[in-house]
Amino acid sequence: MTAPAVRHIRLVTEIPGPRSRALLARRDAAVVAGLGRATPIAIASGQGALVTDVDGNTLIDFVSGIGTLAVGHCPPEVVQAIQAQAEQLIHLSALVGTYEPYVALCERLNALAPISEPCKTLLSNSGAEGVENAIKFARAATGRPAIIVFDGAYHGRTLLTLSLTSRTYFKKKFGPFAPEIYRAPFPYAYRMGMSEAEAVEQCWAAFERMQIAGVDPETVAAVLIEPVQGEGGFIPVPVEFMRRLREFCTRNGSLLIVDEVQSGFGRTGTLFAIEQFGVEPDIIVAAKSIAAGMPLAATIGRARIMDCAHYGGVGGTYGGNPLACVAALATIDLIERERLLERAKVIGQQIRARFEPLLTDDSLDPLVGDVRGLGAMIGIELVKDRRKRTPAAAEEVLAILGRALERGVLAMRAGLYVNCIRLLVPLVITDDQLDEGLEVLIGAMRH
Ligand SMILES: Cc1ncc(COP(=O)(O)O)c(C=O)c1O
């Protein structure tokens, strides 16, 4: 392993430093305890793939605002677009009147959506809101109530999306949850201890049984799925499974909604991950990297479906705010100009090249059990035992991430068992920065 030419990490205090600790104490006193935080540091600024904390330490960011910053921190084109728009019109509300950036963004998204018929779009503020809107459109268009979701799915934390989300930890005392949600097994081949083809057959058999024993297919408005499960552990849906879901929906008059909040906007090497599955969805939900960190989500779908919601039935005060819209338009320009889709594929290969050799490295504790993902959306699953695939303890994984942070790399966990490391590096990261960050992260796995 050759050392990277330039060192980008610059540590001038321990991590967290005194100013981070002071701000953290203020946060603990002023902000609710239920708001999780993956790290104990406070960030003052960011540029590209680097962040600088309030103590003056510069770190490499492998989290990207939980997959929000495909174009990196503060890209000048996006900053300028926001500044120029702020001088013209910060807010109007699309419920009040019309402004060009909202319309221009919807036109652009309709043209980019991998759906071969005219599309229409609704903008909102967060991934969860985008998913809620998708459910409303699906119910309005089909006149049916039921939604099928999957084990391990994450769709947000509002009450409807929390109902759609799988992991019980997030749900604890927040019920009762929304009705008419049916959960099917997800073909998570690694944890099922079988080949992908076997996992597909097993889960498909359960899906078919569910139509007899769980939910009448004639009441199913939509099947909602993440093409690559994010929070659930960075697990791509097997192509054959997605194809069968599409077939089920077409045959049954249900809609296929893909939640691309985390997998969309270039992360997987195509603008939408679903482009790599050879099937067309009916509705796509995009958010996160769509607007370089500005709060924005888009629910994009076939016009004949999207126009079924009654006049005044959707929208909100802020959804598609002018600043967020111009940020998204500049972000799309940047993804195209900098060829970030190609770059995502290369980054994914580079990450795999570093982690795959660890699949046979017995000196690590915990061990690397699986390296998987799509494009630059790569997860590493850690286990105690390779044969039994026993998940590594969450504390061990968090300890690795803690060591990486102390050495200057921000990375985050994922997975139902909190035993995966998810890599969501900004796609503008340089090769040197990526090398340096990976070296630190792998070093942290070696203690
Ligand atoms: C697949 C997916 N859907 C929905 C959401 C919710 O998005 P938000 O946190 O913006 O509400 C997330 C957030 O991580 C996500 O990964």
Side-chain angles (χ1 to χ4, degrees):
M1 205 182 293
T2 51
V6 187
R7 288 202 69 79
H8 298 273
I9 297 169
R10 202 173 139 265
L11 302 182
V12 294
T13 71
E14 74 282 10
I15 304 277
R19 291 194 171 150
S20 276
R21 291 200 300 273
L23 197 52
L24 203 67
R26 280 173 58 199
R27 172 175 168 153
D28 286 348
V31 181
V32 297
L35 179 69
R37 56 167 172 72
T39 72
I41 56 168
I43 300 298
S45 63
Q47 198 63 60
L50 302 177
V51 287
T52 301
D53 75 3
V54 290
D55 292 288
N57 300 297
T58 299
L59 299 94
I60 296 176
D61 185 359
F62 277 4
V63 183
S64 292
I66 324 183
T68 303
L69 302 164
V71 292
H73 289 272
C74 299
E77 297 84 343
V78 176
V79 172
Q80 279 154 22
I82 295 170
Q83 281 171 340
Q85 182 61 42
E87 286 171 14
Q88 296 295 318
L89 180 74
I90 291 180
H91 183 58
L92 178 76
S93 182
L95 291 173
V96 171
T98 301
Y99 41 95
E100 214 259 344
Y102 192 114
V103 179
L105 179 57
C106 293
E107 288 170 346
R108 193 107 180 241
L109 293 170
N110 295 339
L112 289 168
I115 295 177
S116 57
E117 68 177 273
C119 285
K120 285 197 171 180
T121 292
L122 175 73
L123 303 177
S124 55
N125 302 291
S126 67
E129 233 188 302
V131 173
E132 293 232 1
N133 283 317
I135 303 296
K136 285 167 76 177
F137 288 121
R139 285 183 171 159
T142 60
R144 301 172 176 187
I147 309 293
I148 297 181
V149 290
F150 294 88
D151 277 348
Y154 184 85
H155 297 294
R157 281 188 167 94
T158 58
L159 207 42
L160 174 60
T161 56
L162 196 55
S163 308
L164 300 163
T165 286
S166 165
R167 190 167 159 224
T168 53
Y169 179 82
F170 294 127
K171 306 170 98 150
K172 292 237 181 248
K173 300 178 191 162
F174 295 145
F177 296 105
E180 289 300 330
I181 291 168
Y182 299 88
R183 197 169 300 286
F186 181 86
Y188 183 175
Y190 178 73
R191 190 122 302 287
M192 291 165 82
M194 54 182 68
S195 71
E196 191 174 282
E198 288 166 335
V200 168
E201 291 310 328
Q202 191 163 313
C203 290
W204 193 252
F207 192 88
E208 291 200 312
R209 189 181 138 73
M210 189 177 173
Q211 293 164 49
I212 297 162
V215 55
D216 177 354
E218 286 181 15
T219 67
V220 175
V223 173
L224 168 66
I225 192 161
E226 298 157 84
V228 183
Q229 271 196 355
E231 181 64 36
F234 279 37
I235 318 159
V237 175
V239 168
E240 174 60 16
F241 195 73
M242 189 69 94
R243 199 187 58 72
R244 291 187 195 184
L245 291 178
R246 174 68 272 177
E247 253 176 40
F248 164 82
C249 288
T250 304
R251 191 170 1 102
N252 187 57
S254 310
L255 303 180
L256 181 64
I257 305 174
V258 288
D259 178 346
E260 294 245 22
V261 168
Q262 196 157 166
S263 60
F265 269 82
R267 175 61 47 196
T268 66
T270 42
L271 193 63
F272 299 103
I274 195 66
E275 294 169 47
Q276 298 177 53
F277 289 78
V279 304
E280 278 191 24
D282 298 300
I283 301 178
I284 303 171
V285 185
K288 291 202 188 266
S289 273
I290 192 173
M294 291 295 282
L296 186 77
T299 307
I300 313 159
R302 299 180 195 270
R304 60 185 164 85
I305 292 167
M306 305 298 279
D307 277 339
C308 287
H310 64 279
Y311 178 80
V314 294
T317 303
Y318 294 112
N321 165 278
L323 300 183
C325 289
V326 295
L329 288 163
T331 297
I332 297 170
D333 285 345
L334 211 52
I335 290 174
E336 289 175 355
R337 202 193 67 210
E338 298 295 318
R339 298 176 174 275
L340 294 183
L341 304 181
E342 280 310 306
R343 180 70 185 142
K345 291 183 190 142
V346 173
I347 287 172
Q349 286 156 6
Q350 288 172 341
I351 295 174
R352 281 177 185 277
R354 295 294 283 268
F355 279 100
E356 279 170 357
L358 303 182
L359 285 164
T360 50
D361 185 335
D362 295 334
S363 68
L364 294 169
D365 181 21
L367 299 160
V368 173
D370 198 20
V371 177
R372 58 172 176 255
L374 202 59
M377 189 170 177
I378 303 281
I380 295 114
E381 178 151 1
L382 300 173
V383 291
K384 287 184 201 297
D385 178 307
R386 270 210 191 94
R387 202 175 48 79
K388 294 189 192 144
R389 305 185 178 191
T390 320
E395 308 79 65
E396 290 178 309
V397 178
L398 297 177
I400 292 172
L401 297 174
R403 285 196 291 277
L405 184 72
E406 282 165 15
R407 299 170 198 173
V409 170
L410 248 114
M412 205 173 161
R413 51 105 204 109
L416 283 179
Y417 301 91
V418 192
N419 68 322
C420 303
I421 295 175
R422 65 170 108 180
L423 295 177
L424 289 166
V425 310
L427 303 180
V428 293
I429 196 166
T430 64
D431 285 344
D432 277 350
Q433 291 167 341
L434 183 60
D435 271 358
E436 186 179 339
L438 290 174
E439 194 177 300
V440 169
L441 185 57
I442 291 170
M445 292 167 74
R446 297 194 186 284
H447 293 272

